[in-house]
């Protein structure tokens, strides 16, 4: 079956079929993703196999031109207001301190504060920065 036909077949598959197809194509258990994301992942892998991925020159160029993400330096204090409460976090060398307790990631703090799963860097307005969590 040609690549174009294989990609078209994916559009007609349900989630359980896509999970089986993921395992067949990717040679690993399917992640717990929506049907749309499974479909996109499988399609990407099929195209990667058909076109043999990026050339070494392209990979090298991407690595040299990709901007480095600045890290948050130890000693930085992050402050966020949430539901009338001020959340203050101190960045340390090996994690974060919030309410006199150590946390391995900002996401753990965001979960503690909100009771819901949040991206810590997003919660603290740091998207695009290397925040370790």
């Amino acid at each position: 079956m040609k690549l174009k036909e294989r990609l078209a077949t994916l559009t007609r598959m349900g989630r359980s079929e896509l999970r089986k197809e993921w395992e067949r194509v990717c040679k690993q258990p399917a992640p717990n993703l929506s049907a749309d994301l499974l479909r996109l992942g499988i399609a990407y892998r099929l195209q990667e196999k058909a076109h043999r991925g990026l050339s070494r020159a392209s990979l090298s160029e991407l690595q040299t031109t990709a901007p480095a993400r600045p890290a948050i330096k130890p000693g930085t204090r992050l402050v966020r207001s949430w539901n009338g409460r001020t959340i203050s976090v101190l960045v340390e060398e090996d994690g974060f301190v919030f309410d006199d307790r150590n946390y391995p990631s900002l996401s753990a703090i965001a979960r503690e504060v909100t009771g819901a799963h949040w991206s810590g860097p997003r919660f603290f307005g740091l998207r695009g920065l290397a925040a370790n969590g």
Side-chain angles (χ1 to χ4, degrees):
M1 185 182 306
K2 292 185 179 184
L3 177 61
K4 193 172 185 176
E5 295 166 345
R6 290 184 78 185
L7 294 174
T9 301
L10 294 176
T11 64
R12 296 185 296 273
M13 289 184 177
R15 188 168 182 273
S16 62
E17 292 171 298
L18 288 165
R19 289 181 61 79
K20 289 176 189 168
E21 184 68 4
W22 178 288
E23 292 176 6
R24 193 182 67 71
V25 170
C26 298
K27 309 269 189 268
Q28 61 185 13
N32 188 22
L33 298 173
S34 69
D36 287 338
L37 289 177
L38 288 169
R39 193 173 289 111
L40 287 171
I42 295 165
Y44 178 87
R45 183 68 179 128
L46 291 172
Q47 291 173 79
E48 183 182 48
K49 282 182 178 180
H51 301 292
R52 306 202 184 227
L54 294 173
S55 68
R56 286 186 184 181
S58 295
L59 286 171
S60 176
E61 185 176 339
L62 284 171
Q63 290 172 342
T64 58
T65 59
R69 292 175 16 174
I72 302 171
K73 295 185 180 185
T76 301
R77 184 161 301 278
L78 306 172
V79 180
R80 159 82 198 256
S81 178
W82 177 259
N83 290 341
R85 179 178 172 200
T86 299
I87 310 305
S88 179
V89 173
L90 178 64
V91 178
E92 292 194 333
E93 209 50 61
D94 58 346
F96 305 90
V97 176
F98 167 66
D99 275 353
D100 297 322
R101 293 191 356 231
N102 292 319
Y103 291 83
S105 70
L106 289 174
S107 295
I109 296 169
R111 261 190 309 278
E112 176 80 20
V113 170
T114 66
H117 179 74
W118 270 80
S119 158
R122 185 174 183 185
F123 179 79
F124 286 97
L126 302 173
R127 290 182 67 190
L129 293 177
N132 301 325

